Amino acid sequence: MVEAAVAAGGAGSVLFVKEPGLANRLQRLAVEESRLGIPLMFGFDVIHGLRTVFPVPVALAASWDPETIERSQAVAAREARAAGIQWTFAPMVDVTRDARWGRIIEGAGEDPYLGSAVAAAQVRGFQGDLGPDRVLAGPKHLAGYGASQGGRDYDEAEISDSELRNVYLPPFRAAVDAGAGTVMSAYMDLNGVPASGNRWLLTEVLRDELGFDGFVVSDANAVKSLETQHFAASPTDAAVRAVSAGLDMEMCMFDPAFRTLPQAVADGLVDEEVIDRAVRRVLAAKFRLGLFEQPYVDEGAADALLGAPAHRAAAREAAERSVVLLKNDGALPLEASALGSIAVIGQLADSKRDTLGPWVFDHVTDDAVTVLEGVRSRVGDDVRVVHAPGAGIPGRMFPSMFDRMDPTVEHTPDDHDDEAEIARAVALAEASDLALVVVGERQNQVGENASRATLDLPGRQLEQLQRIAATGTPVVLVVMSGRPLDLRWADEELPAIVQAWYPGTSGGDAVAAVLFGDVSPAGRLPFTWPRHVGHVPMHYAHLRTFDPEQQGRRYWEEPSTPLYPFGHGLGYATFAYSGLRLDRERIRVGEQVQVRVDVTNESGRDADEVVQLYVHQRHGRASRPVRELKGFRRIRLAAGETRTVGFDLGPDELRYWSASDRDWVQDATTVDVWVGGDSTADLATAFTVTEGADR
Ligand code: GLC
């Protein structure tokens, strides 16, 4: 069917082709048989690697390391291009503050500033100079998808203009400024108008405000779904309104609505110029990719490149830099020589498929290194490492096309006897010197179509953990998840907790390197870790609200403070901050102030620290968040080293979009500045911004 459509000139791009030979066969039909001979563009979801799988995107964001993120996506681009893919439907840049939403795993968390830095780094990595080993980047999903009501996937999002411009659009602006060649429109209704038929969004905002000059592609079947959403009256109405709104290409699995456009032009429903505009934008991308000069892929290149040792080493380093040490009362790092036996507990500890995470389609599952394998290879024969799968992890309550699309999804065996397996795991832990318990969600319990109504550990994992802890064997907890899970009991009762995310192909080795101290973890949370699902949505950059004692923000049952704050993460070194200083105490609107701080590694080992800068303005024409991230730097400090770290604060950091002015503004005000290792940093200073009067 695809071949016929291509030969007839019925498709300009094809998705889900990741085999060079097939790509060339389809390309030959397009270039040598179709009427116009225009080359195809091959697009695919290369979200966190193709054959070499990197940590999931939210984990890459947790590295707070744009260079590592850029390097990771450059490897992904190299493998994708060798496989015949020239365009990736990534980065996903949707900000979200709702842990129930499964796609939290695909983005960079809750913060527009971190999200913008990550978005730009990913675009640079994917596209670079758009040379022969790069791919077109496609930031998605424009816009506001992460604010879907109730964290329910595809659900409507009501977002004010100021919230849209101050929170949800900045990562798109950063991706566009980094040169992204395409943008993907979202499914959901934004303020009652589906994003894929939303002229204000796709033209006035994306093109007129953000200056985007590439092409806009719909999400899969999102044009046809304009009818499903009861926005369009027919496929023709859907196609005409989408292309008129500024949507240039329809991604569709079957029977595209855009097929009605020639007749719509003949019937005067849409000007031919509108179609020509869309075509020009897509052709420009194909020219940028050099497809007219070289439409075919070297079919011999992929084998040597895909999964290359250097790529796996890069994936391991990215995973080591993404792990977040949530709690450590000294139990970590582990000393192998002090251990006779380790019981590694949990189905996820030994699940290659889950170690890779969602949104992987060209993986070789056997290539993945699990936590169990990583620990075994790290300790060698010195320590007896035993494993028990333990508690089952219940599967989906409803059928999903995503499970049908991925035959490698791992499930708890149907004949699994939960009680017997838990008892066996507890007994093994009791008989060991250490219990390394791996808990979390299966990789298909997060991602698209995977929202959860609870943040509980699925199944009886918590009960199992409690029974293991009750044996008296020391417990170290490793969490594999893409969203924050309810760790209240573990935080109270266990000595050490490691957030391992889904760490990718070399994940188990990276987690073992952190556990045994070969690497001092420096990952930091890209989202607030709520205490309870009832607190969600939750984020650190909230307003101060009317409440003198600032007590109103609590619940009857418990405070609304997070379990772990945004930017949180521990390491095996301690860092001291001192000498916070400004080059000026007063500036005028539009001017910059330089911030400097001295950071000292007080430990006896080299280690990374993520220096974070937050600001708050005390008054102005709008209430502004109690804190906002406006600068960060991941630095490596040798043992005992002190380094001065500098940040500039100016209009780019201090202005915001004002609803009352319907424009970007900067207030004359007093600005508080904090610098430290997370969003609760208390080393503070302040400066005054004047309207431009005397200084
Ligand atoms: C999906 C997703 C989108 C993805 C596309 C193609 O429904 O929403 O992120 O790129 O379809 O797989």
Side-chain angles (χ1 to χ4, degrees):
M1 186 174 85
V2 175
E3 287 83 346
V6 168
S13 299
V14 181
L15 68 154
F16 283 124
V17 169
K18 52 191 175 22
E19 201 281 303
L22 173 58
N24 282 339
R25 283 199 302 280
L26 290 171
Q27 193 66 288
R28 245 173 237 104
L29 289 174
V31 171
E32 297 166 20
E33 293 199 22
S34 78
R35 179 171 66 90
L36 296 174
I38 297 172
L40 295 170
M41 196 161 38
F42 292 92
F44 198 42
D45 290 293
V46 184
I47 309 296
H48 54 111
L50 184 71
R51 178 68 53 79
T52 305
V53 178
F54 282 76
V56 289
V58 74
L60 289 174
S63 72
W64 289 57
D65 182 355
E67 286 83 45
T68 293
I69 294 167
E70 182 175 339
R71 249 193 328 272
S72 301
Q73 298 302 30
V75 168
R78 196 171 307 131
E79 292 195 357
R81 200 66 190 265
I85 297 159
Q86 299 112 8
W87 162 29
T88 179
F89 312 137
M92 190 276 223
V93 301
D94 298 309
V95 170
T96 191
R97 281 119 182 230
D98 197 322
R100 297 167 295 183
W101 189 49
R103 305 197 77 169
I104 188 172
I105 187 174
E106 299 174 44
E110 73 181 56
D111 184 78
Y113 187 89
L114 176 64
S116 298
V118 173
Q122 291 206 55
V123 170
R124 291 194 301 271
F126 282 129
Q127 287 195 182
D129 57 1
L130 264 188
D133 62 350
R134 302 291 182 138
V135 295
L136 216 50
K140 66 186 184 183
H141 309 74
L142 191 74
Y145 187 10
S148 301
Q149 214 166 74
R152 292 179 297 274
D153 208 1
Y154 314 127
D155 215 311
E156 61 198 84
E158 283 292 327
I159 306 175
S160 70
D161 275 3
S162 49
E163 185 89 339
L164 195 69
R165 289 187 176 80
N166 293 324
V167 177
Y168 294 98
L169 285 178
F172 283 99
R173 179 186 293 276
V176 168
D177 290 349
T182 174
V183 165
M184 182 187 289
S185 64
Y187 288 121
M188 80 314 137
D189 291 88
L190 174 61
N191 301 332
V193 180
S196 296
N198 193 320
R199 175 181 170 69
W200 172 77
L201 181 65
L202 301 183
T203 296
E204 293 173 42
V205 173
L206 179 61
R207 295 192 185 276
D208 303 345
E209 272 190 51
L210 300 190
F212 177 64
D213 63 0
F215 72 87
V216 177
V217 63
S218 73
D219 201 337
N221 308 318
V223 176
K224 290 175 68 67
S225 79
L226 294 179
E227 200 180 350
T228 316
Q229 287 163 270
H230 289 181
F231 174 75
S234 66
T236 298
D237 188 36
V240 167
R241 293 168 77 182
V243 75
S244 304
L247 190 125
D248 306 305
M249 182 194 290
E250 175 183 16
M251 181 190 292
C252 192
M253 306 308 188
F254 44 79
D255 188 19
F258 271 25
R259 186 178 286 162
T260 65
L261 287 174
Q263 188 56 50
V265 170
D267 297 345
L269 300 176
V270 60
D271 290 343
E272 188 162 337
E273 171 43 35
V274 171
I275 313 298
D276 291 348
R277 178 186 68 186
V279 169
R280 271 197 303 275
R281 289 165 174 166
V282 175
L283 289 181
K286 295 185 177 183
F287 277 109
R288 276 184 81 186
L289 282 165
L291 292 179
F292 285 90
E293 291 74 33
Q294 176 43 282
Y296 301 108
V297 60
D298 169 1
E299 296 181 31
D303 290 348
L305 258 176
L306 270 57
H311 294 177
R312 296 183 59 156
R316 171 173 171 159
E317 184 187 354
E320 288 171 351
R321 297 173 77 82
S322 302
V323 171
V324 181
L325 181 54
L326 296 174
K327 179 183 179 185
N328 185 25
D329 70 359
L332 293 178
L334 300 173
E335 179 47 64
S337 59
L339 293 167
S341 60
I342 301 175
V344 178
I345 307 294
Q347 297 200 352
L348 296 173
D350 187 31
S351 164
K352 289 177 174 288
R353 180 65 193 82
D354 289 299
T355 302
L356 297 175
W359 286 105
V360 292
F361 301 98
D362 193 54
H363 55 290
V364 173
T365 308
D366 283 350
D367 284 354
V369 178
T370 63
V371 171
L372 174 61
E373 289 168 327
V375 169
R376 279 191 165 136
S377 68
R378 172 61 179 73
V379 300
D381 299 334
D382 304 342
V383 182
R384 190 165 64 87
V385 179
V386 293
H387 173 251
I393 302 179
R396 277 187 203 269
M397 311 293 280
F398 54 87
S400 161
M401 70 172 179
F402 292 93
D403 293 348
R404 288 193 296 275
M405 281 164 62
D406 177 1
T408 66
V409 170
E410 293 213 13
H411 303 283
T412 298
D414 294 339
D415 61 353
H416 171 86
D417 178 338
D418 222 20
E419 185 44 47
E421 288 299 340
I422 292 174
R424 194 160 74 83
V426 174
L428 206 58
E430 186 159 28
S432 301
D433 297 332
L434 173 80
L436 185 64
V437 185
V438 181
V439 298
E441 296 173 329
R442 286 238 184 258
Q443 56 82 22
N444 68 343
Q445 290 180 288
V446 72
E448 185 170 0
N449 222 329
S451 297
R452 289 190 64 207
T454 166
L455 300 179
D456 294 347
L457 294 177
R460 296 169 60 189
Q461 295 182 87
L462 177 57
E463 175 198 335
Q464 173 178 264
L465 191 57
Q466 292 166 333
R467 287 167 57 178
I468 287 171
T471 66
T473 297
V475 175
V476 167
L477 184 65
V478 174
V479 182
M480 279 175 61
S481 77
R483 58 159 58 94
L485 297 176
D486 187 338
L487 295 182
R488 282 174 293 171
W489 180 86
D491 182 62
E492 277 292 319
E493 302 296 333
L494 301 183
I497 305 173
V498 173
Q499 172 67 10
W501 312 103
Y502 299 97
T505 301
S506 310
D509 288 328
V511 173
V514 168
L515 291 173
F516 286 90
D518 307 332
V519 169
S520 172
R524 298 289 182 266
L525 291 180
F527 48 56
T528 301
W529 194 293
R531 200 172 286 280
H532 182 281
V533 69
H535 302 185
V536 171
M538 169 183 235
H539 63 286
Y540 82 96
H542 58 76
L543 300 186
R544 202 163 186 279
T545 75
F546 159 72
D547 186 339
E549 285 78 42
Q550 290 298 297
Q551 277 305 312
R553 292 178 49 79
R554 55 165 298 114
Y555 295 92
W556 183 268
E557 296 78 7
E558 59 185 10
S560 68
T561 50
L563 190 62
Y564 306 113
F566 174 79
H568 170 75
L570 306 174
Y572 299 145
T574 49
F575 295 92
Y577 286 75
S578 59
L580 180 58
R581 53 200 182 275
L582 307 171
D583 67 336
R584 289 191 282 172
E585 304 295 321
R586 294 168 69 82
I587 61 171
R588 284 182 288 192
V589 168
E591 292 182 329
Q592 284 203 332
V593 65
Q594 287 183 353
V595 185
R596 295 288 179 273
V597 68
D598 300 324
V599 186
T600 301
N601 175 353
E602 295 182 320
S603 74
R605 64 173 294 160
D606 299 357
D608 282 15
E609 167 67 335
V610 179
V611 182
Q612 302 165 39
L613 178 144
Y614 295 85
V615 302
H616 166 64
Q617 70 173 45
R618 294 187 191 170
H619 55 81
R621 71 194 83 184
S623 304
R624 299 298 296 144
V626 291
R627 289 198 182 198
E628 286 182 281
L629 179 72
K630 291 297 180 184
F632 69 88
R633 192 96 28 83
R634 180 167 176 149
I635 59 173
R636 157 133 317 215
L637 289 182
E641 179 187 0
T642 294
R643 189 177 310 167
T644 297
V645 179
F647 300 95
D648 292 341
L649 287 179
D652 286 349
E653 290 75 30
L654 300 175
R655 68 180 194 161
Y656 61 94
W657 202 85
S658 155
S660 49
D661 299 74
R662 295 198 56 71
D663 200 356
W664 294 92
V665 301
Q666 184 187 346
D667 290 318
T669 182
T670 298
V671 178
D672 289 304
V673 179
W674 297 271
V675 180
D678 67 35
S679 57
T680 65
D682 55 12
L683 184 59
T685 184
F687 60 92
T688 302
V689 183
T690 62
E691 273 304 356
D694 65 306
R695 312 261 299 262

